[in-house]
C-alpha cells in the first residue's frame, strides 16, 4: 500500500479546495426546499465552484454526467441530478468534489426537505454524529480501525445499518488514493490496519441505513439504492492528520 503524505504546502491547497467545497454545500443547503429540482441544485453548485476558480471534480469522472451526486431517500450515493422535484418529507444527500489548483476537496451532507419523520431525523443525526466521532479518533499514532470502529459502534448502537460496499478514501491530486477507509471492521481488518501519520489526508464518509445495509446499483449504472428501499444518509468531510491531531479541510470556518 502506498499512501501519499502531503506537505504543509499541499495541505494548504487542499484547505482552499475544501473551503470552496464547503461553500458549494452551504449554497445547496440554502436552496433545498419542496418543489426544487435536483438539476437546479446541480447547476447552482457548478456555477458556484467555477466562480471560485474551481472545477467540479465529479463531472466526467468515469463519465459521471453532473457536478454533484444528489441522492434522495433510499438512494445511498451517486444519484444523478435531473428533473426530479424534491418533496416535503424527503431526505436529500448532496456530495460535492472540487478541484482547485490541482488539489481536491470532497464532502457530503444530508438534509431534510421541509418536515421529515422522526425516524429520518434520527438517521440524519446518527450519521452526522458517527462522522464526528470517527474524526475525533484521527491523530498520529491512531489506527485506521479506530476510525472505522467509531462509525460502526455508534451506528449499530443507534439501530442503523452501515453500508459495506463503499468506503472513505485517501485523496489529494486524485479523488481516490490509498488507503480505503471502511465504516466497519471485520476479521480481515487486523492485517490491513494502518497507523495514521501527519500528512495523511482522508475523506471520512459514513453511509447509514434505516434497514439492512445491502445495496444495489440501478440501471443508470450510477445510482446506488438500499436493497430494501429504506432510507439512507451520508455525511463526509475531508480531514488532514496534523502533528497535533486533525483538521477538517472541508469547512468555511477559519481555523488556527
Ligand atoms: Mg464525496
Ligand atoms: Mg469521498
Amino acid at each position: 500500500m502506498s499512501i501519499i503524505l502531503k506537505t504543509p504546502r499541499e495541505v494548504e491547497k487542499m484547505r482552499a479546495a475544501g473551503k470552496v467545497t464547503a461553500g458549494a454545500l452551504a449554497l445547496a443547503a440554502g436552496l433545498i426546499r419542496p418543489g426544487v429540482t435536483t438539476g437546479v441544485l446541480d447547476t447552482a453548485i457548478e456555477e458556484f465552484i467555477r466562480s471560485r476558480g474551481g472545477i467540479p471534480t465529479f463531472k466526467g469522472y468515469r463519465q459521471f454526467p453532473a457536478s454533484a451526486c444528489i441522492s434522495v431517500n433510499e438512494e445511498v450515493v451517486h444519484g444523478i441530478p435531473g428533473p426530479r422535484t424534491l418533496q416535503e418529507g424527503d431526505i436529500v444527500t448532496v456530495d460535492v468534489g472540487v478541484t482547485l489548483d490541482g488539489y481536491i476537496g470532497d464532502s457530503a451532507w444530508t438534509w431534510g426537505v421541509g418536515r421529515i419523520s422522526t425516524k429520518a431525523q434520527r438517521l440524519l443525526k446518527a450519521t452526522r454524529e458517527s462522522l464526528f466521532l470517527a474524526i475525533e479518533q484521527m491523530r498520529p499514532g491512531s489506527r485506521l480501525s479506530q476510525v472505522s470502529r467509531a462509525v460502526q459502534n455508534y451506528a449499530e448502537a443507534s439501530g442503523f445499518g452501515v453500508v459495506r460496499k463503499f468506503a472513505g478514501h485517501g485523496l489529494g491530486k486524485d479523488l481516490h488514493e490509498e488507503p480505503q477507509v471502511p465504516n466497519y471492521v471485520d476479521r480481515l481488518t487486523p492485517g490491513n490496519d494502518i497507523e495514521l501519520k501527519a500528512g495523511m489526508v482522508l475523506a471520512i464518509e459514513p453511509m447509514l441505513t434505516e434497514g439492512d445495509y445491502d445495496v444495489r446499483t440501478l440501471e443508470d449504472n450510477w445510482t446506488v439504492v438500499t436493497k430494501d428501499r429504506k432510507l439512507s444518509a451520508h455525511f463526509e468531510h475531508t480531514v488532514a492528520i496534523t502533528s497535533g491531531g486533525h483538521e477538517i479541510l472541508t469547512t468555511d470556518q477559519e481555523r488556527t
Side-chain angles (χ1 to χ4, degrees), residues 58 95 106-107 167-169 171 175-176 203-205 234 236:
F58 302 164
D95 190 350
D106 185 8
S107 185
H169 49 93
L171 75 169
L175 178 59
H176 295 115
I204 309 300
E205 48 180 316
H234 176 206
E236 176 181 30

Side-chain angles (χ1 to χ4, degrees), residues 18 20-29 32 38 41-46 49 55-59 61 64-72 75-81 91-99 104-111 131 166-169 171 175-176 183 203-207 222 224 232-238 250:
V20 179
T21 311
L25 285 176
L27 175 80
I32 288 168
T38 55
L41 298 179
D42 184 63
T43 301
I45 288 166
E46 177 165 8
I49 293 169
I55 297 164
T57 313
F58 302 164
K59 197 162 199 176
Y61 182 85
F64 188 75
S67 292
C69 297
I70 303 185
S71 308
V72 183
E75 297 172 357
V76 181
V77 284
H78 305 162
I80 301 173
I91 60 170
V92 58
T93 301
V94 180
D95 190 350
V96 172
V98 173
T99 307
I104 294 171
D106 185 8
S107 185
W109 209 261
T110 306
W111 290 278
L131 169 62
F166 297 91
H169 49 93
L171 75 169
L175 178 59
H176 295 115
N183 293 305
I204 309 300
E205 48 180 316
M207 296 154 214
W222 279 108
V224 175
S232 177
H234 176 206
F235 287 75
E236 176 181 30
H237 268 311
T238 299
T250 36

